[in-house]
Amino acid sequence: MKRLLGLLLLVLVGCDDPGVVMTGADAGPAPLPSGCEDGPLADPIPGCAPTPAASSGDPYQDCVDRINQFRAECQCLPPLERWRDAEDCADQHARYDSEGAGPHGGFSDDICSPRGRAQNECPGWRGGTEGVVRQCLQLMWDEGPGEPFSAHGHYINMSNPGHTRVACGFYETPSGELWSVQNFR
């Protein structure tokens, strides 16, 4: 509870950026599921593993939608907006990292902007974008709350109520490995 209250005190970023669009094919954020009337839960529902929606054909949107599915169905958190203006930078991070910098290299080296203030990464993933969306994001959510940050940081970034946007990025190496990043702001 103290952790959630502390996170709620973070300054929220305004949503008037023209590069930001709502999830669900720009139709606006989906309403929170039944049982969320009292607002966000202090901790996620244990073992929450919602069935992924069918692909929209747009891996960037699918990535945003899957993160929002975890936020809504597992912890009653509001959705993040798709941050289109930062997707090119997220793609650059994924490529840079795959070419030798390693996970979070592009983010740490500040190779492009806007990069956001936190990053998750699925390095060298097999199974294409669908594998990232269905499996890697689930593994990150499953880290759950706790300390140290190094063991729970992916979940913390995905569930942070101070984040209002997410830009997903992808790069497939010549050997067929997919590197994907999710930059949060």
Side-chain angles (χ1 to χ4, degrees):
M1 182 68 153
K2 286 181 184 176
R3 182 182 70 77
L4 182 61
L5 291 175
L7 291 174
L8 290 174
L9 294 176
L10 292 172
V11 177
L12 294 177
V13 178
C15 295
D16 57 351
D17 184 317
V20 175
V21 295
M22 303 305 280
T23 62
D26 304 335
L32 291 174
S34 176
C36 292
E37 295 78 18
D38 293 331
L41 303 174
D43 289 308
I45 297 167
C48 187
T51 301
S55 174
S56 69
D58 177 352
Y60 298 89
Q61 188 65 53
D62 293 346
C63 175
V64 172
D65 289 346
R66 183 67 168 155
I67 292 167
N68 283 332
Q69 183 181 30
F70 289 118
R71 287 175 59 92
E73 294 182 31
C74 299
Q75 201 163 347
C76 297
L77 293 165
L80 299 174
E81 296 175 275
R82 180 176 173 182
W83 190 16
R84 285 186 191 265
D85 286 350
E87 288 174 351
D88 183 60
C89 183
D91 285 342
Q92 289 178 52
H93 284 163
R95 181 175 187 155
Y96 182 84
D97 294 357
S98 77
E99 293 175 342
H104 310 295
F107 190 82
S108 296
D109 291 347
D110 201 14
I111 65 164
C112 58
S113 68
R115 73 177 184 118
R117 59 182 178 215
Q119 182 182 77
N120 288 353
E121 185 157 358
C122 301
W125 200 260
R126 294 280 179 186
T129 56
E130 187 173 328
V132 166
V133 169
R134 290 179 167 268
Q135 298 157 349
C136 184
L137 296 178
Q138 177 73 58
L139 291 171
M140 290 181 183
W141 185 264
D142 289 347
E143 289 176 4
E147 295 291 332
F149 184 84
S150 61
H152 302 275
H154 297 115
Y155 161 81
I156 291 168
N157 289 338
M158 291 171 80
S159 66
N160 186 334
H163 294 159
T164 58
R165 307 171 189 184
V166 62
C168 297
F170 302 95
Y171 177 72
E172 186 172 349
T173 68
S175 66
E177 292 181 337
L178 184 70
W179 287 63
S180 174
V181 302
Q182 304 86 46
N183 290 341
F184 297 89
R185 176 173 173 190

